[in-house]
Amino acid sequence: MDVVDAWASLPPDLLLDIFLRLEAAAALRCTGVCKPWRRAIIGNAASCLRPRRVDYCFVPGLLLGFFHNHRDTHTGRRHVMLRRLPGPSAARFPAASSLVHGDATDLAPYDELLSCRDGLVLLGGRRAAAQGLCLCSLMTGDRMFLPAAAFRACTYVLLTAYDLATSDDAGAGDKLEALILAVKEKNVEGGMTCQTFSTRDGAWGEVTRSSGFERGLVTRIYTGSEVICRGGAVHWLAMGNDAGVVERTVALDARTGRAWMTELPEGCGELDCYGALHDSPLRLATAGDGRLSMVRSFGGGAVEVWVLAGGGGDLWSLRRTIKVPRCGGDVWFSAFCPRSGCLLGHVGGKEIIVDAERGSCCLIGAVDDTNHGRCLYPYEMDWSTYLAKMKHF
């Protein structure tokens, strides 16, 4: 019996115990060794791929495309549209747009995408009953209907178990379990008004207000797909009293209600943005080790990647500079993809994907006019769902 056969013939419980001690990325690679290993890992994906504090590596293959809210200029009707990335992985899964409208008649009133993470989408709509919401899993077809938050003029952020994970015993996030955070985007200087909905409890919590910030530093947060989530904290770019000037970020812990500010890296300059930040030369992101990071373009086709030091404070360090080939202008970023670690942007009429962790980038075609200037939401999957789907191919 050779070495491979000896390993393959180990009892399933012993194999599983070994795989549980590996990082998720290593367990993912082990699925290609032999069929017994593949069956053991895929059959226990929720355990083998449980997020760990030391396992924040990105998997670019989890990015399948981008959602955006579209309004037909002729009929005035709104739709949630999905644009897939070119590649073989996109053909493996059903068209997500058909699950949002078309064959799902009960979802017809929900024609606006509010948040999207790990294959889960949070939908709203003007025609939805009592301005209600729908949380839907595009991978399984599961859905949950729930009322809106208790206050108006709020923005919604969807956090999955992956976002809330801080230790080895955290949930794997492969079920319809999530936390929905509703916040007011304006007048945040006196504190952030928020309310959370837990799918586990099935109800909204009390409306709370965080402590205020130093006067004159922030007035509103930029919402939509610009938010970054990690370890239960949600981060936004924030506008100061001078209209359109962005110099810092605002963060809110969805579990404790604690709020704080972080200055942007010194020397980055002020970012003048009016309205929304759907396209900008600056985008918040996360590093492979889970730290908050920032990616910005400063002309000449160069992109800087900054990382915030751990332990709190406003100490940033420049990690790397990426040179975009055949580009001499600014790169405008539209979205950051938290599971794959990639940023979608455009420059010189071409769309590009920048891998800030590996320091690489690639062109993916001409700018799509239907998406240009709109808020894009990455359509990604968690590892557990990805492996579960592999059983059918």
Side-chain angles (χ1 to χ4, degrees):
M1 181 179 296
D2 57 30
V3 176
V4 175
D5 289 337
W7 277 99
S9 61
L10 290 176
D13 56 340
L14 183 56
L15 270 177
L16 181 59
D17 184 64
I18 295 174
F19 294 138
L20 289 175
R21 299 173 185 272
L22 298 178
E23 296 181 2
L28 183 65
R29 291 192 293 268
C30 288
T31 58
V33 174
C34 60
K35 289 183 178 180
W37 285 25
R38 179 184 175 90
R39 286 194 295 266
I41 295 173
I42 291 179
N44 299 275
S47 299
C48 293
L49 298 183
R50 179 170 296 173
R52 301 174 175 86
R53 185 183 292 273
V54 296
D55 189 23
Y56 287 119
C57 58
F58 298 121
V59 181
L62 296 182
L63 176 61
L64 299 182
F66 294 89
F67 278 114
H68 70 101
N69 293 311
H70 174 73
R71 181 186 294 273
D72 192 303
T73 55
H74 299 289
T75 64
R77 295 183 59 187
R78 301 192 304 181
H79 303 279
V80 177
M81 299 187 66
L82 171 66
R83 182 164 60 93
R84 292 188 181 277
L85 289 180
S89 60
R92 293 184 174 185
F93 304 95
S97 55
S98 66
L99 297 177
V100 178
H101 56 79
D103 61 344
T105 56
D106 57 342
L107 292 182
Y110 298 91
D111 55 6
E112 181 181 6
L113 184 62
L114 304 175
S115 188
C116 177
R117 301 182 75 80
D118 289 340
L120 297 177
V121 295
L122 181 65
L123 301 168
R126 296 179 181 178
R127 295 184 296 153
Q131 298 294 313
L133 308 174
C134 176
L135 179 62
C136 177
S137 171
L138 299 184
M139 298 295 105
T140 65
D142 296 335
R143 60 194 62 155
M144 172 185 292
F145 297 95
L146 57 142
F151 51 85
R152 295 184 179 181
C154 59
T155 181
Y156 294 93
V157 181
L158 175 63
L159 295 94
T160 65
Y162 189 101
D163 301 308
L164 301 170
T166 56
S167 62
D168 288 344
D169 60 354
D174 59 329
K175 298 181 181 179
L176 191 65
E177 294 184 358
L179 190 70
I180 299 172
L181 175 68
V183 299
K184 286 188 176 181
E185 61 183 272
K186 297 180 180 179
N187 302 320
V188 301
E189 183 179 59
M192 301 188 68
T193 302
C194 60
Q195 189 178 20
T196 58
F197 180 93
S198 170
T199 57
R200 181 172 299 179
D201 300 332
W204 286 96
E206 296 182 359
V207 178
T208 60
R209 190 174 182 86
S210 72
S211 58
F213 302 105
E214 185 178 344
R215 187 175 179 81
L217 294 184
V218 296
T219 58
R220 60 165 291 189
I221 56 176
Y222 287 98
T223 58
S225 61
E226 290 82 29
V227 300
I228 296 298
C229 306
R230 175 61 74 183
V234 183
H235 301 261
W236 298 268
L237 288 172
M239 178 189 290
N241 276 343
D242 295 329
V245 176
V246 178
E247 296 177 306
R248 55 190 55 84
T249 70
V250 168
L252 177 68
D253 192 312
R255 293 166 298 188
T256 65
R258 185 176 72 91
W260 65 95
M261 294 188 306
T262 302
E263 299 287 337
L264 290 179
E266 184 178 357
C268 282
E270 298 178 348
L271 177 65
D272 293 328
C273 290
Y274 293 86
L277 287 180
H278 297 167
D279 279 311
S280 77
L282 181 149
R283 182 67 59 180
L284 291 180
T286 53
D289 56 6
R291 288 183 292 168
L292 184 68
S293 65
M294 188 203 73
V295 180
R296 78 168 188 118
S297 171
F298 56 94
V303 174
E304 290 182 345
V305 181
W306 294 75
V307 178
L308 185 65
D314 300 336
L315 182 60
W316 295 81
S317 61
L318 178 62
R319 171 167 286 187
R320 62 174 55 88
T321 300
I322 304 172
K323 182 65 177 179
V324 180
R326 301 185 300 277
C327 167
D330 286 327
V331 179
W332 291 80
F333 297 108
S334 302
F336 171 69
C337 314
R339 303 297 166 257
S340 62
C342 300
L343 294 104
L344 178 71
H346 60 89
V347 58
K350 298 289 185 179
E351 285 190 323
I352 64 171
I353 287 186
V354 177
D355 189 331
E357 189 68 16
R358 295 174 175 82
S360 62
C361 60
C362 65
L363 297 174
I364 59 174
V367 172
D368 188 341
D369 291 335
T370 63
N371 288 337
H372 180 65
R374 300 179 185 271
C375 188
L376 296 179
Y377 296 85
Y379 173 41
E380 300 176 298
M381 287 185 299
D382 62 281
W383 292 342
S384 300
T385 304
Y386 185 77
L387 283 187
K389 286 288 181 180
M390 286 175 59
K391 292 186 289 187
H392 305 290
F393 302 96

